[in-house]
């Protein structure tokens, strides 16, 4: 399976050699608009499954930011869509085998703190995997990564510091915190939101953790940013909707584009 993905990716990339992969979360697809000299291919043509969620278009884009080549996944695979977790491992490993060294993950998430409102950006410093799933389950290929990967610097501290510095220079407020993954697809109950805050999490969402585990396993350097699209259930009046997620993510994505553009130029 990995071999098929690798062949399809090599075929698409030809003589281009990006070292950074950017995964775009719900409503953040237009972050790829700033790429120059771009080319794209559908997931279908790559042999990837097609993403089933609105706001995730299912294509891979290669292009340049400054003089850096980057790959962008516009659309990701959520476990709540029914994909097996090792699909995510296989895809990340295929990217590693075609030369990707750095992973930048973005997502839309709910805030667990009333002082971090909708529209905020949060640098992910660490995560809590409450999904009950893991992309590394199954036989291990020791050539790809260790059976028991260390997660002590999963979100690379140096990269995080660099992004904080850029945010300061650009006068963009960048919160920092721990991202907690639930399987979804339902939004949380008010009791869950209270419990997750007590556990030490700052934001909750339904993605990112499998990609990060697979990337750390494969030896990639990871940077993660959450776009806060709402306060967690019970922390704000009204109900949670996917439409609100997409709207708020789209509003905040301009700030995030500025940050990541500068960050990628310095990679
Ligand atoms: N919970 C889980 N996932 C989310 C949320 C939320 O409140 N907002 C955006 N994605």
């Amino acid at each position: 399976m990995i071999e098929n993905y690798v062949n399809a990716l090599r075929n698409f990339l030809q003589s281009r050699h990006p070292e950074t992969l950017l995964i775009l979360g719900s409503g953040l697809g237009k972050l790829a608009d700033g790429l120059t000299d771009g080319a794209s291919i559908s997931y279908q043509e790559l042999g990837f499954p097609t993403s089933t969620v609105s706001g995730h278009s299912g294509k891979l884009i290669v292009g340049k930011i400054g003089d850096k080549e980057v790959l962008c996944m516009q659309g990701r695979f959520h476990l709540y869509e029914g994909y097996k977790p090792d699909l995510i491992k296989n895809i990340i490993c295929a990217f590693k085998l075609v030369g990707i060294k750095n992973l930048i993950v973005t997502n839309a998430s709910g805030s667990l703190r009333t002082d971090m409102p909708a529209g905020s950006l949060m640098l992910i410093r660490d995560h809590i995997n409450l999904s009950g799933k893991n992309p590394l389950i199954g036989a291990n290929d020791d050539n790809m990564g260790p059976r028991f990967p260390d997660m002590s610097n999963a979100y690379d501290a140096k990269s995080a510091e660099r992004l904080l510095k850029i945010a300061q220079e650009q006068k963009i407020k960048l919160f920092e915190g721990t991202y907690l993954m639930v399987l979804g697809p339902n939004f949380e109950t008010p009791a869950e939101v209270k419990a997750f805050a007590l556990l030490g999490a700052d934001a909750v969402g339904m993605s990112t953790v499998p990609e990060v585990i697979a990337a750390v396993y494969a030896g990639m350097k990871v940077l993660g940013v959450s776009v806060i699209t709402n306060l967690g259930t019970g922390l704000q009046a009204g109900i949670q909707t996917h439409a609100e997620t997409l709207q708020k993510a789209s509003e905040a994505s301009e700030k995030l584009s500025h940050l990541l553009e500068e960050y990628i130029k310095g990679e």
Side-chain angles (χ1 to χ4, degrees):
M1 205 57 187
I2 295 184
E3 209 169 290
N4 292 345
Y5 296 150
V6 168
N7 290 337
L9 288 170
R10 289 216 169 106
N11 214 10
F12 168 57
L13 289 172
Q14 299 284 332
S15 61
R16 304 180 79 146
H17 298 286
E19 294 188 350
T20 297
L21 170 68
L22 175 58
I23 301 181
L24 303 174
S26 295
L28 299 170
K30 70 177 185 208
L31 286 187
D33 293 350
L35 296 181
T36 56
D37 202 8
S40 71
I41 185 169
S42 69
Y43 285 176
Q44 206 168 8
E45 282 175 274
L46 285 169
F48 291 4
T50 27
S51 184
T52 65
V53 194
S54 69
H56 290 262
S57 74
K59 63 182 180 186
L60 183 70
I61 303 162
V62 65
K64 281 183 157 182
I65 292 181
D67 62 355
K68 292 281 179 332
E69 296 266 15
V70 281
L71 267 179
C72 274
M73 280 181 80
Q74 212 172 44
R76 60 147 53 94
F77 304 103
H78 299 92
L79 297 183
Y80 64 71
E81 292 176 86
Y83 299 119
K84 283 186 58 200
D86 69 352
L87 167 74
I88 296 174
K89 176 183 75 175
N90 291 341
I91 288 178
I92 293 288
C93 288
F95 280 119
K96 170 76 182 186
L97 290 170
V98 300
I100 295 294
K101 297 189 167 90
N102 312 307
L103 175 69
I104 303 175
V105 270
T106 63
N107 62 45
S109 63
S111 173
L112 299 171
R113 292 164 37 180
T114 49
D115 67 340
M116 185 166 68
S120 301
L121 299 179
M122 187 190 90
L123 171 66
I124 305 176
R125 282 297 200 163
D126 205 345
H127 76 221
I128 297 172
N129 181 8
L130 268 200
S131 69
K133 307 272 181 184
N134 196 298
L136 307 181
I137 286 173
N140 187 50
D141 176 356
D142 293 335
N143 294 316
M144 213 53 244
R147 172 76 292 187
F148 303 108
D150 168 60
M151 296 293 287
S152 58
N153 189 40
Y155 298 83
D156 181 58
K158 274 196 194 138
S159 306
E161 293 301 334
R162 194 157 70 77
L163 193 73
L164 281 170
K165 193 156 165 274
I166 293 169
Q168 212 173 29
E169 284 161 8
Q170 296 188 349
K171 300 192 172 27
I172 290 173
K173 169 93 180 146
L174 184 58
F175 289 85
E176 299 176 62
T178 296
Y179 175 88
L180 182 145
M181 181 194 175
V182 290
L183 191 55
N186 60 286
F187 288 112
E188 296 67 44
T189 64
E192 285 167 339
V193 162
K194 275 190 204 151
F196 297 162
L198 275 176
L199 282 178
D202 301 282
V204 57
M206 306 172 192
S207 68
T208 302
V209 165
E211 290 106 313
V212 171
I213 292 174
V216 169
Y217 162 78
M220 291 183 192
K221 195 177 77 172
V222 176
L223 177 83
V225 183
S226 284
V227 172
I228 303 297
T229 56
N230 55 277
L231 286 180
T233 315
L235 298 180
Q236 71 180 20
I239 59 163
Q240 312 287 9
T241 65
H242 185 54
E244 182 194 23
T245 298
L246 294 181
Q247 171 65 24
K248 289 285 179 188
S250 168
E251 284 168 25
S253 69
E254 198 166 326
K255 282 192 289 188
L256 186 54
S257 295
H258 289 306
L259 278 182
L260 293 183
E261 244 180 72
E262 202 53 37
Y263 177 86
I264 288 167
K265 283 181 188 164
E267 270 292 66

